[in-house]
Amino acid sequence: MRLKTPSQPLVFCFSGVSPLCGAVEKLYDIYPDARASLCLHKTCYYVAVFCRLSMRGKVRGTLSEYGKFIGPSGVLYSFCEEHGTFITHDAVTELGAAFRKD
């Protein structure tokens, strides 16, 4: 069975730069092809991860170690992006690769 529309992104909230960097680095390790948008709203960083249904549990478990899982909500993330500061639509590739320890 195939979905006609993509599933809702998983939205996470991070209280600072350090937890955000750790989460993005870990996400890059487990799922480097994930598309993730990043924005800053008030004092928190919000990440919306668009991933395959088969990866949702692993992504949620991994990123929940670093920040708060808000839920599958594209609307909430869009609100934060609109009223906050947009940073990137490709956080995993842009930030995750930079933090990789090789």
Side-chain angles (χ1 to χ4, degrees):
M1 182 164 99
R2 291 181 58 130
L3 297 173
K4 290 191 177 210
T5 58
S7 57
Q8 291 286 316
L10 300 178
V11 180
F12 297 87
C13 176
F14 301 95
S15 60
V17 174
S18 293
L20 170 67
C21 292
V24 172
E25 180 182 1
K26 197 67 150 181
L27 184 58
Y28 184 81
D29 289 341
I30 66 163
Y31 191 28
D33 297 333
R35 187 171 61 93
S37 294
L38 171 64
C39 71
L40 173 66
H41 182 254
K42 296 186 180 179
T43 61
C44 293
Y45 291 93
Y46 289 87
V47 175
V49 181
F50 300 84
C51 59
R52 297 187 314 256
L53 291 174
S54 62
M55 290 297 293
R56 289 170 79 86
K58 192 168 189 173
V59 168
R60 180 180 177 182
T62 301
L63 296 188
S64 292
E65 295 175 19
Y66 298 91
K68 181 179 178 187
F69 176 63
I70 304 296
S73 178
V75 174
L76 172 68
Y77 178 79
S78 294
F79 175 86
C80 293
E81 186 177 281
E82 182 178 328
H83 295 282
T85 303
F86 166 75
I87 298 173
T88 183
H89 281 300
D90 199 11
V92 176
T93 303
E94 292 177 6
L95 299 175
F99 298 128
R100 190 161 176 95
K101 300 170 188 137
D102 285 337

